[in-house]
Amino acid sequence: MELELTRVDYTNVGLTGPNCLQLLPPTTNVTASGSNSGYKQQQKVAIGDQDGVLQVFSMKKDELQVHFKTLPNEKIASVKLGGQSGSVADKIFTASENKVRGFNKKGKLFLAFETSLTETIRSMCVSGSDLLVCGNHVYNHYRDCKEVGSYLCGDVIVDVAALCPNNTSRLITVLACSGRVLRILEHARVRQTLELESVPTVLYAPKGIGDRILCGFSDGSVILFHLNLLSTEVKREVLVADREGEGILSAVTCIATYDLSGDGKEELIVGRRDGTLQVFVMNSDEYQFEMECTQIYRENFNESISALQGGCVGATNYTEIVVCTYSGLIFGLTTQCISKSLGDNGTRAEKSPGTPIDSSAKLQRIRAEIYELEQTIAKERERYQHSTQALSSGLSAIPMLPINDSFVLSKDDATFLLSLEIPTPIEHVLLQCDAPITLLDVEKNTAVVSFSECDKLSGNSLLASYRCQLNTNRIDLKFRTIEGQSGTLQVYITPNLQPKCCQLKRYPIKPLSLHMIVHNATDEMLARPMNTLTLKGPFSQAEMHNWMINSIPELPEKLYESGKVQYTFRHVFIGTMLVCEYGKGEATFRSDNISTISILKDFITKEATKKRIKLEISTSINESTIPSLIKLIEPMILHYNKLTKDYQLAQALLDLDIRDDDEFNTLSEEYRALVRNQHAIGTEFRKQPTILNRIYGILTDLYIDKFKFKGVNVKTKLPQLIELLENYSYDELVQFYSVIKAGDEEIGDT
């Protein structure tokens, strides 16, 4: 089953963010519960942009009608619909800075409420008389504009949603946090914390269901959570995830459900950062588990999708998806087949309810408007170009363009993905980094990349530029880091504007950049043999926390706990653990990887020296961590050693130029299998061509760091180690790590 949708452009507004668009319910055919089932009457669209303008428009006889439009004000962070419990949600609420305003559908301001938040409102939810607002770290709950609760969160709050169980007066709040957790609150107290595999980006609570919530993630997946409101049991169902052959999914920016096909079952609609919009059929409108989601529509619009809603806007009795992009373009994807309803002579071939038969006058008017706009643009461009000339007396202002960016660590392949988007076309992007990073190919990129030679004395490890094709306003960059090598990635983005200018964005590369926090570490994870680093000195807990933030990702920006705190981290590539426990004057770090301990020791010592803080350092190296770590990496060594050899053999066999079955049958069964599977082997090898070198690099660093704690330089022995790794034997490798010869003297473990 494939869904056919036709794009219809409506209007353009200013730059937009998440949760900026809502469809007002129609005046008829609305159930008391507010269900959108049966919406066939045309609806009004409410949209708020970053210029602070809220406007409501609708379509009438294919003409755009603006019902009201506010004056520019503070940036609108969220637009939500609300109303009294049991009634139609037709009131429009906007959040700007720390204020919430309410408008009726005619544009009359009936609420101007200044919250007690000291932060700018980032997300908002309205449920009956309850108002939930969140800044970066603060959550406030208001009822009838009176504060009834608040919560201070260490992580950054990404989104908020409310669940109202049926036939009860309870209100369950769900907070999506950047620390890869969902926090479930009741009466402003944390009832439960759910650990997640990826960073959540958006929450969506389906209407009429009080115990289920959908969550979109930065890795592109969508998960349905079923909360048991009588216990702490939570069921999870992955509805959308990476599928082999489809490539890595972009981050989810918005989610909606709507009955597009009219069969009484809602479809799942997903919008993504790379401009992809997908529609899935769910096998049950009750959101039961073990459901299979089948994709019935997929299209890429080359621009981040900020918000989307299902409804009926363009024509009566035709459902559609109303989409808003980052640059403010509003368009509909309608089930009405426009191409078939217009004849060659500009008249409709078939009559549709609510639309005129003769469209020739409308087409002529549109052509005239387009011609007039083209002439106006040409004159303005000529005038602007003239004003930028050196001898002109005119002035040209350099615009400060907002950048929509995302910097995310992917746990699947231990790489970083940097997404950049600006509202105008990008001419080129320049990268400069003082830490050694490796740029990787991104299939969706059409930009041409060039590298410049780096002078080691200049401190540059990478200089690269991407030259974008015409009308490219977003680009994805993918790169790999090396733990222990820290620095700053500087990105210079040059828009295609006159006069020439660029904007600079900085992204820190942290020493332990490939570690992710583990919120619920099991006893099995922590039962491994560990190496220990202990630091004592006249430092405060805040100072140590600041050092930790600068050395490892995903730590909360602020501490709201007194006494010692403990965090557990996992290396996303090899799976080693790091346990950090610190308070005032003392910090203890435990890891089954000696290199992790060494990196932390060097970084914190350097930071303490800058502040002239004298540290008392003690280390305890557990020799049994070496065999344990080698055993942990062993499956990867064996797999990628075999893959590399198979790839080299397959390429050699292809050079034989075998032309018939007789020649093919002379090969051994092993070689015949390599020829048959050469395409799959080549595809896997090209995805990670340097992964074996990456594994070897981790093990050589481990070897160097182990003996560095003993005061021995073993860099001359690295060729022997590489040879052992290429001809892998667990026992020989463990023995090599245990004993080293220095001249005639043998240094062993004691």
Side-chain angles (χ1 to χ4, degrees):
M1 175 184 172
E2 291 293 330
L3 183 65
E4 293 186 9
L5 299 175
T6 305
R7 174 170 170 170
V8 181
D9 289 337
Y10 290 137
T11 186
N12 241 333
V13 297
L15 298 181
T16 61
N19 299 313
C20 63
L21 179 140
Q22 295 290 331
L23 294 190
L24 274 67
T27 55
T28 58
N29 296 339
V30 184
T31 61
S33 64
S35 172
N36 58 13
S37 179
Y39 276 14
K40 298 298 180 182
Q41 300 300 313
Q42 287 180 265
Q43 297 171 251
K44 297 177 182 178
V45 180
I47 176 75
D49 58 35
Q50 295 187 15
D51 295 329
V53 176
L54 170 70
Q55 58 180 300
V56 173
F57 70 86
S58 65
M59 301 298 294
K60 186 175 182 181
K61 296 182 180 179
D62 296 333
E63 294 282 345
L64 182 76
Q65 292 194 337
V66 178
H67 295 274
F68 74 87
K69 186 175 181 180
T70 65
L71 294 173
N73 209 325
E74 300 98 345
K75 170 183 171 182
I76 294 177
S78 182
V79 177
K80 295 291 183 180
L81 297 182
Q84 294 182 354
S85 299
S87 65
V88 178
D90 59 353
K91 304 293 189 298
I92 307 166
F93 295 87
T94 65
S96 301
E97 293 189 342
N98 69 334
K99 303 179 184 67
V100 175
R101 296 180 177 90
F103 300 84
N104 63 18
K105 56 187 178 182
K106 294 183 179 180
K108 182 180 178 181
L109 179 68
F110 67 86
L111 175 68
F113 174 56
E114 185 170 351
T115 68
S116 57
L117 260 71
T118 56
E119 300 178 330
T120 299
I121 295 175
R122 181 168 176 171
S123 53
M124 174 179 69
C125 181
V126 180
S127 177
S129 58
D130 292 285
L131 171 66
L132 315 176
V133 291
C134 297
N136 282 330
H137 298 280
V138 180
Y139 156 80
N140 274 11
H141 179 191
Y142 299 91
R143 181 171 292 130
D144 294 323
C145 295
K146 294 181 180 179
E147 185 174 336
V148 295
S150 64
Y151 170 70
L152 193 59
C153 181
D155 299 328
V156 174
I157 301 173
V158 177
D159 201 3
V160 59
L163 296 176
C164 301
N166 296 331
N167 303 319
T168 68
S169 59
R170 297 173 65 185
L171 181 74
I172 309 296
T173 303
V174 181
L175 301 181
C177 302
S178 62
R180 292 188 297 108
V181 292
L182 290 185
R183 289 186 169 88
I184 302 170
L185 281 68
E186 190 167 8
H187 305 300
R189 295 182 179 179
V190 178
R191 165 185 159 169
Q192 195 173 357
T193 300
L194 304 180
E195 184 177 359
L196 307 171
E197 293 295 323
S198 181
V199 178
T201 53
V202 63
L203 295 173
Y204 177 79
K207 294 181 180 178
I209 302 176
D211 58 355
R212 293 167 176 83
I213 192 164
L214 291 163
C215 185
F217 294 89
S218 61
D219 65 357
S221 61
V222 178
I223 298 179
L224 171 66
F225 293 88
H226 181 179
L227 311 180
N228 189 332
L229 303 178
L230 301 178
S231 69
T232 58
E233 180 186 7
V234 177
K235 296 180 181 178
R236 310 184 189 198
E237 177 77 6
V238 179
L239 303 185
V240 181
D242 275 337
R243 292 183 175 88
E244 190 173 348
E246 291 187 4
I248 297 175
L249 295 174
S250 180
V252 177
T253 54
C254 46
I255 300 174
T257 56
Y258 189 77
D259 181 11
L260 290 168
S261 56
D263 59 358
K265 295 183 179 180
E266 293 186 336
E267 283 80 28
L268 173 65
I269 310 167
V270 180
R272 302 188 180 277
R273 180 178 289 276
D274 66 351
T276 301
L277 187 145
Q278 295 171 285
V279 180
F280 299 88
V281 170
M282 298 185 291
N283 65 353
S284 173
D285 59 342
E286 295 297 328
Y287 301 94
Q288 298 298 328
F289 280 83
E290 302 300 332
M291 69 169 60
E292 295 180 1
C293 280
T294 305
Q295 180 177 284
I296 58 174
Y297 179 83
R298 180 184 179 123
E299 190 62 56
N300 188 284
F301 299 100
N302 300 317
E303 192 174 338
S304 293
I305 298 175
S306 299
L308 53 81
Q309 291 281 303
C312 177
V313 174
T316 304
N317 290 330
Y318 287 101
T319 56
E320 65 181 275
I321 304 170
V322 182
V323 183
C324 176
T325 66
Y326 167 69
S327 67
L329 180 62
I330 314 294
F331 61 89
L333 299 173
T334 177
T335 53
Q336 181 185 21
C337 191
I338 304 296
S339 60
K340 292 181 180 179
S341 61
L342 285 177
D344 295 335
N345 60 353
T347 60
R348 289 191 179 263
E350 53 180 332
K351 184 178 179 180
S352 300
T355 56
I357 296 177
D358 190 1
S359 301
S360 58
K362 178 191 171 186
L363 292 175
Q364 291 175 3
R365 186 172 66 253
I366 291 174
R367 290 191 185 104
E369 289 178 1
I370 291 173
Y371 178 77
E372 185 179 345
L373 287 171
E374 287 175 345
Q375 295 300 313
T376 303
I377 290 171
K379 289 179 182 178
E380 288 296 318
R381 182 181 288 114
E382 185 179 350
R383 186 182 65 82
Y384 183 74
Q385 293 287 351
H386 178 71
S387 68
T388 59
Q389 299 302 317
L391 301 178
S392 172
S393 59
L395 297 176
S396 182
I398 297 177
M400 192 66 182
L401 295 174
I403 299 174
N404 182 22
D405 61 337
S406 172
F407 186 66
V408 179
L409 170 63
S410 171
K411 63 180 177 60
D412 295 327
D413 54 1
T415 59
F416 284 90
L417 181 64
L418 174 61
S419 297
L420 301 167
E421 184 174 21
I422 61 175
T424 62
I426 301 173
E427 186 170 330
H428 58 262
V429 175
L430 173 67
L431 306 181
Q432 181 272 331
C433 189
D434 53 359
I437 62 174
T438 305
L439 287 179
L440 306 173
D441 291 334
V442 178
E443 293 180 3
K444 300 174 185 176
N445 275 355
T446 55
V448 178
V449 60
S450 59
F451 296 89
S452 300
E453 187 176 348
C454 297
D455 182 5
K456 293 183 179 179
L457 298 177
S458 68
N460 293 325
S461 294
L462 172 73
L463 287 174
S465 63
Y466 285 83
R467 184 167 294 279
C468 301
Q469 290 187 356
L470 194 65
N471 296 327
T472 299
N473 67 341
R474 71 177 312 276
I475 186 171
D476 291 330
L477 309 174
K478 193 175 184 181
F479 59 91
R480 181 178 293 128
T481 63
I482 300 173
E483 283 213 327
Q485 303 286 340
S486 59
T488 303
L489 172 64
Q490 299 193 117
V491 182
Y492 299 83
I493 304 147
T494 304
N496 190 7
L497 294 175
Q498 291 291 343
K500 289 299 179 187
C501 59
C502 74
Q503 287 184 239
L504 171 63
K505 296 286 288 186
R506 291 185 174 93
Y507 303 93
I509 307 297
K510 300 183 179 181
L512 296 176
S513 55
L514 299 181
H515 279 72
M516 296 179 77
I517 198 166
V518 179
H519 295 280
N520 299 311
T522 62
D523 293 337
E524 184 180 354
M525 291 180 180
L526 304 179
R528 304 173 183 178
M530 295 280 189
N531 307 286
T532 305
L533 168 68
T534 304
L535 303 173
K536 295 181 180 180
F539 54 81
S540 66
Q541 186 184 46
E543 283 175 319
M544 178 56 71
H545 187 68
N546 186 55
W547 295 337
M548 293 301 298
I549 287 175
N550 292 329
S551 64
I552 196 163
E554 292 198 342
L555 272 174
E557 295 177 7
K558 300 178 182 179
L559 281 179
Y560 299 106
E561 304 174 20
S562 57
K564 283 191 175 182
V565 294
Q566 180 173 311
Y567 296 102
T568 304
F569 298 88
R570 180 179 178 273
H571 195 295
V572 297
F573 185 57
I574 59 175
T576 56
M577 306 298 295
L578 169 65
V579 182
C580 308
E581 186 177 0
Y582 54 88
K584 182 180 179 181
E586 185 175 358
T588 303
F589 305 98
R590 296 184 295 122
S591 176
D592 52 338
N593 187 351
I594 296 175
S595 294
T596 302
I597 294 294
S598 176
I599 292 168
L600 264 179
K601 174 178 173 289
D602 292 344
F603 179 79
I604 295 177
T605 303
K606 181 179 177 182
E607 293 298 308
T609 303
K610 289 179 183 178
K611 289 196 169 187
R612 298 183 179 180
I613 297 176
K614 187 177 180 180
L615 295 177
E616 181 184 332
I617 303 173
S618 61
T619 55
S620 174
I621 304 302
N622 188 338
E623 299 295 341
S624 60
T625 58
I626 301 291
S628 174
L629 178 55
I630 294 174
K631 206 67 179 175
L632 191 65
I633 306 180
E634 185 178 52
M636 285 196 293
I637 299 174
L638 295 174
H639 174 75
Y640 287 105
N641 263 337
K642 183 178 184 303
L643 177 65
T644 302
K645 291 176 181 177
D646 286 351
Y647 177 76
Q648 293 169 347
L649 276 173
Q651 294 302 306
L653 290 169
L654 289 177
D655 291 340
L656 294 177
D657 194 21
I658 297 174
R659 297 178 180 271
D660 53 42
D661 292 342
D662 292 338
E663 292 181 358
F664 180 75
N665 291 330
T666 60
L667 299 175
S668 67
E669 180 58 36
E670 179 187 355
Y671 287 173
R672 289 200 296 268
L674 288 177
V675 174
R676 291 191 200 101
N677 301 324
Q678 57 89 16
H679 179 72
I681 293 170
T683 301
E684 184 181 0
F685 182 81
R686 281 187 289 272
K687 281 183 179 179
Q688 298 280 4
T690 60
I691 196 166
L692 200 57
N693 292 335
R694 197 177 183 186
I695 296 169
Y696 290 175
I698 290 171
L699 289 172
T700 52
D701 286 345
L702 176 69
Y703 185 64
I704 293 170
D705 290 332
K706 178 195 171 181
F707 286 98
K708 185 173 74 172
F709 281 107
K710 296 177 178 292
V712 180
N713 188 337
V714 293
K715 290 185 178 180
T716 57
K717 301 294 181 182
L718 294 185
Q720 293 176 261
L721 176 58
I722 297 297
E723 185 179 350
L724 273 176
L725 290 172
E726 290 175 347
N727 303 284
Y728 177 76
S729 168
Y730 173 76
D731 294 332
E732 291 181 10
L733 191 60
V734 171
Q735 178 64 23
F736 186 82
Y737 273 88
S738 301
V739 179
I740 179 173
K741 291 184 179 181
D744 296 327
E745 180 185 1
E746 188 173 277
I747 301 174
D749 296 331
T750 57

